[in-house]
Amino acid sequence: MAANSWFSVLTSTGGSRTSHRLFSTSLRPSSFFIPKADSQNQNHKRKVLNKSSSSPPEKVAGKQKFSRRSKNEGPFANADGRSSTSETGRSQSTAIKSFGLQKKGKGIMLDSKDQQVETGSIQDAAFLNAVVKVYCTHTAPDYSLPWQKQRQFTSTGSAFMIGDGKLLTNAHCVEHDTQVKVKKRGDDTKYVAKVLARGVACDIALLSVESKEFWEGAEPLSFGRLPRLQDAVTVVGYPLGGDTISVTKGVVSRIEVTSYAHGSSELLGIQIDAAINPGNSGGPAFNDDGDCIGVAFQVYRSDDAENIGYVIPTTVVSHFLEDYERNGKYCGFPCLGVLLQKLENPALRACLKVPSNEGVLVRKVEPTSDISNVVKEGDVIVSFDGVHVGCEGTVPFRSSERIAFRYLISQKFTGDSVELGIIRAGEFMKVQAVLKPRVHLVPYHIEGGQPSYLIVAGLVFTPLSEPLIEEEEDSIGLKLLTKARYSLAKFEGEQIVVLSQVLANEVNIGYEDMSNEQVLKLNGTRIKNIHHLAHLVDSSKGKYLVFEFEDNILVVLEREEAMSASASILKDYGIPAERSSDLLGQYVDSTIEQSEATNHGEFGYEGLLWA
């Protein structure tokens, strides 16, 4: 069953979400893990991405499991050298799992190949004292029952001091945090920490500790340059296997644009062969000079591969910190907002009147991007801020290397202007565009942590999100999953609103079995988002509430009867409110819908590159 294993990723250099499939020539299922902290509740292991397999698909209740797209994934798949068009064979299943937090109170299985060492030469090095252990209590939302939370669980990870009362760790180590504590090496006191900023796309979080006692004698780490291949690297943290600090050593194996499992983005990453295990997440990686060259955050697990760990380089860390300093918050990595195809074929270049062996073809433009005003489908991008783009979608990197075109975009900040050199109908021209984060029709992470919801006569409506798809994957239809994976947002604020379930009551007899159906209209008005739906319900004056769903399904309720039944339904099911707090304010329609002609073309984009 030789096949290529893959996992979905994003191409939007961080904040945006475009789908990419990273192929590894694997004969057996392999897994890409995020080193997460250890949780007391094993049921809280969260898959970052679903498995996609060329083996017979798993079926539940007569429905085929559908691979969900990556977090930054837009409606199309990336083809930047990793697409199904550039690899032969079908894909074996690959899972991306968070594991950087080691699970407390559970048995431990150690791999003799992953040796944890603490050498005498660095045992007393000062920089080890800057590495701390993170204890986090997580309380994740329940996306299926959006008015409540899941059972809390605890985990541990690593972090390190960077000065000015702040520490760095991984975003997945403090995801859905309700309490974060840190403990220094050789200390028995835990100090309360606060999460200042969380960068999901780059998997970095900034913490602060107010206690002056914690910072006594502390020496923050200094950041070093981007390493070279074969440079020695030392990873320090608090992984499973013990309670004290652990050190592993290796070398830099590869530096390239890498899939970030937690944010499902693609940013620069450093591959190393030093062991990274659960609990190492958020710990620093050092060079031989004692300078921090990055943050350990994930590993690649496979039966056919060993010692593949990943470090977030200081270039990405510096971008995160500068973004926070500029804006007082983390705004995310921007994207260009175009779907690209490589121009390796000479006949294709000749047909597009591209005179040289360069450029990438614009196949699609996101309606919500600024570039949609200056770039058209069929244009060929040949340069980005004066840097020539090769026909494979790569640009020069350092002295003798090349790297994916997305790397240049990831160096920019939200709001930056860029100059593109394009060829249109054989004519060369230069255009200006402003970069901003991608607008996601189906978000991978919920802002504020708690999903929105609206209950109308027992009908529970909520926006479709990737966490909801993960929880409800066995009951969501293939058509809705396809739309979630491949559709583009036509305007900022657009959402796919679904009827997640019906709370049975006399007023909704006959509709009790409906679940996970997209609602399109209310009383003939097309629904833009969950807040718009709440506004339409509140402003309705007619006798009936007529909900129109996908596939021409109708739900009709007598309006006054539905409104009067709401209080008793909430009481019967122990629900505190009929809507989430974010829907209590006045609805302001600031959406500007793009023409339908610019949005769709939803299928047939596997093997292409988003930028």
Side-chain angles (χ1 to χ4, degrees):
M1 294 180 61
N4 293 326
S5 68
W6 62 271
F7 58 85
S8 295
V9 296
L10 304 186
T11 127
S12 112
T13 77
S16 336
R17 296 180 184 177
T18 4
S19 77
H20 306 289
R21 293 181 176 177
L22 179 57
F23 286 79
S24 62
T25 52
S26 172
L27 299 180
R28 302 182 183 88
S30 56
S31 298
F32 197 22
F33 294 93
I34 305 177
K36 257 190 173 176
D38 172 27
S39 105
Q40 288 183 346
N41 186 344
Q42 296 224 11
N43 293 330
H44 287 280
K45 282 187 178 179
R46 284 190 172 273
K47 296 178 287 182
V48 178
L49 291 176
N50 280 356
K51 299 180 181 179
S52 177
S53 174
S54 62
S55 56
E58 194 173 352
K59 294 185 178 181
V60 179
K63 293 185 179 180
Q64 178 174 321
K65 280 197 173 183
F66 189 87
S67 170
R68 82 186 175 91
R69 63 188 169 117
S70 39
K71 288 181 179 169
N72 240 358
E73 164 180 61
F76 310 101
N78 176 8
D80 186 25
R82 301 182 176 94
S83 75
S84 57
T85 59
S86 62
E87 300 284 351
T88 59
R90 300 154 89 191
S91 63
Q92 243 344 21
S93 72
T94 303
I96 298 183
K97 298 181 181 178
S98 300
F99 76 88
L101 323 163
Q102 56 184 45
K103 307 221 160 186
K104 294 183 178 178
K106 303 298 178 185
I108 298 173
M109 180 178 295
L110 295 178
D111 187 344
S112 61
K113 297 175 183 176
D114 294 339
Q115 297 180 7
Q116 310 261 335
V117 297
E118 188 169 353
T119 60
S121 60
I122 64 172
Q123 184 171 358
D124 298 320
F127 63 74
L128 293 183
N129 295 326
V131 185
V132 303
K133 190 169 186 176
V134 177
Y135 300 81
C136 185
T137 301
H138 311 259
T139 309
D142 189 329
Y143 295 92
S144 299
L145 304 173
W147 51 86
Q148 66 184 32
K149 299 271 192 178
Q150 297 182 23
R151 183 182 178 88
Q152 74 176 25
F153 64 101
T154 60
S155 65
T156 63
S158 305
F160 59 94
M161 304 174 185
I162 60 171
D164 195 25
K166 296 181 177 63
L167 304 99
L168 276 185
T169 187
N170 284 145
H172 71 259
C173 288
V174 292
E175 185 178 27
H176 305 307
D177 65 286
T178 51
Q179 185 183 68
V180 180
K181 294 179 290 186
V182 294
K183 186 173 73 172
K184 294 192 295 183
R185 181 190 183 201
D187 197 349
D188 60 355
T189 303
K190 297 176 184 177
Y191 299 87
V192 174
K194 179 183 178 182
V195 180
L196 298 179
R198 187 184 287 105
V200 173
C202 56
D203 202 2
I204 302 174
L206 184 65
L207 310 180
S208 68
V209 178
E210 295 182 356
S211 172
K212 294 182 179 179
E213 182 182 353
F214 176 81
W215 296 102
E216 290 180 1
E219 295 185 17
L221 298 183
S222 58
F223 291 107
R225 61 170 177 81
L226 190 68
R228 299 275 180 178
L229 296 181
Q230 296 187 19
D231 279 1
V233 60
T234 301
V235 176
V236 180
Y238 291 86
L240 83 174
D243 294 326
T244 59
I245 199 166
S246 172
V247 177
T248 56
K249 301 197 72 175
V251 298
V252 174
S253 307
R254 180 183 291 145
I255 300 176
E256 65 177 358
V257 174
T258 303
S259 173
Y260 280 45
H262 179 63
S264 289
S265 54
E266 288 204 344
L267 299 168
L268 192 66
I270 302 172
Q271 179 184 321
I272 63 174
D273 67 355
I276 297 178
N277 288 304
N280 268 125
S281 280
F286 297 98
N287 58 21
D288 280 345
D289 297 326
D291 294 328
C292 176
I293 62 164
V295 185
F297 74 117
Q298 65 188 25
V299 298
Y300 184 80
R301 297 293 194 198
S302 170
D303 292 340
D304 301 302
E306 297 179 354
N307 301 330
I308 300 180
Y310 291 91
V311 172
I312 303 169
T314 52
T315 52
V316 176
V317 174
S318 298
H319 188 287
F320 169 84
L321 293 175
E322 185 174 345
D323 189 359
Y324 177 77
E325 291 297 326
R326 283 187 181 190
N327 305 293
K329 62 179 182 178
Y330 172 70
C331 295
F333 286 78
C335 72
L336 199 56
V338 291
L339 173 66
L340 305 174
Q341 179 182 343
K342 296 183 288 186
L343 295 181
E344 297 177 279
N345 187 276
L348 178 58
R349 291 197 300 270
C351 179
L352 295 171
K353 300 180 181 179
V354 180
S356 57
N357 186 21
E358 63 180 357
V360 283
L361 173 66
V362 176
R363 285 293 313 276
K364 204 73 177 174
V365 181
E366 288 190 358
T368 56
S369 67
D370 181 73
I371 202 174
S372 63
N373 300 316
V374 293
V375 172
K376 301 178 180 179
E377 294 178 9
D379 289 347
V380 176
I381 299 176
V382 295
S383 67
F384 180 92
D385 274 350
V387 180
H388 290 284
V389 179
C391 65
E392 289 189 327
T394 59
V395 294
F397 179 64
R398 299 203 284 200
S399 58
S400 59
E401 302 172 69
R402 295 190 70 84
I403 200 167
F405 169 44
R406 297 183 305 283
Y407 170 72
L408 295 182
I409 306 171
S410 70
Q411 302 305 295
K412 301 293 184 179
F413 292 88
T414 297
D416 285 356
S417 295
V418 297
E419 181 183 78
L420 298 176
I422 65 173
I423 294 177
R424 179 180 297 166
E427 297 294 327
F428 176 79
M429 62 182 71
K430 293 184 178 181
V431 297
Q432 303 284 332
V434 177
L435 300 178
K436 60 181 182 179
R438 177 162 292 125
V439 175
H440 307 293
L441 181 61
V442 179
Y444 289 90
H445 292 265
I446 305 297
E447 293 294 332
Q450 198 68 19
S452 303
Y453 73 90
L454 173 69
I455 302 176
V456 181
L459 277 63
V460 181
F461 296 98
T462 189
L464 186 65
S465 64
E466 287 298 335
L468 177 61
I469 291 175
E470 181 177 328
E471 288 188 9
E472 299 285 328
E473 61 181 346
D474 295 335
S475 61
I476 292 183
L478 184 61
K479 187 173 183 178
L480 182 57
L481 285 168
T482 302
K483 181 177 291 188
R485 178 169 185 176
Y486 290 102
S487 293
L488 283 172
K490 297 186 287 293
F491 51 86
E492 293 191 31
E494 184 183 13
Q495 294 175 326
I496 295 178
V497 182
V498 297
L499 172 65
S500 64
Q501 62 178 303
V502 177
L503 307 174
N505 184 269
E506 290 182 3
V507 74
N508 55 47
I509 288 177
Y511 307 134
E512 303 94 331
D513 294 332
M514 292 184 64
S515 66
N516 297 320
E517 297 284 352
Q518 182 185 2
V519 58
L520 303 176
K521 297 179 181 180
L522 174 60
N523 292 339
T525 302
R526 181 166 291 276
I527 296 166
K528 298 179 179 180
N529 50 49
I530 186 72
H531 205 164
H532 184 220
L533 174 59
H535 168 70
L536 293 177
V537 171
D538 294 341
S539 59
S540 176
K541 303 299 182 184
K543 182 177 181 179
Y544 298 106
L545 295 174
V546 182
F547 297 92
E548 298 179 45
F549 293 84
E550 192 72 64
D551 297 327
N552 297 321
I553 299 173
L554 281 181
V555 170
V556 180
L557 300 172
E558 202 282 318
R559 185 178 63 84
E560 292 185 359
E561 183 183 1
M563 295 300 103
S564 61
S566 292
S568 62
I569 293 175
L570 296 180
K571 181 179 179 180
D572 291 343
Y573 287 89
I575 301 173
E578 67 174 2
R579 64 186 66 188
S580 53
S581 59
D582 60 311
L583 303 183
L584 296 176
Q586 184 177 1
Y587 173 71
V588 178
D589 188 0
S590 59
T591 60
I592 302 177
E593 190 165 349
Q594 304 292 322
S595 65
E596 291 289 332
T598 62
N599 178 57
H600 296 295
E602 296 181 346
F603 304 98
Y605 293 95
E606 296 292 331
L608 299 178
L609 164 67
W610 275 103

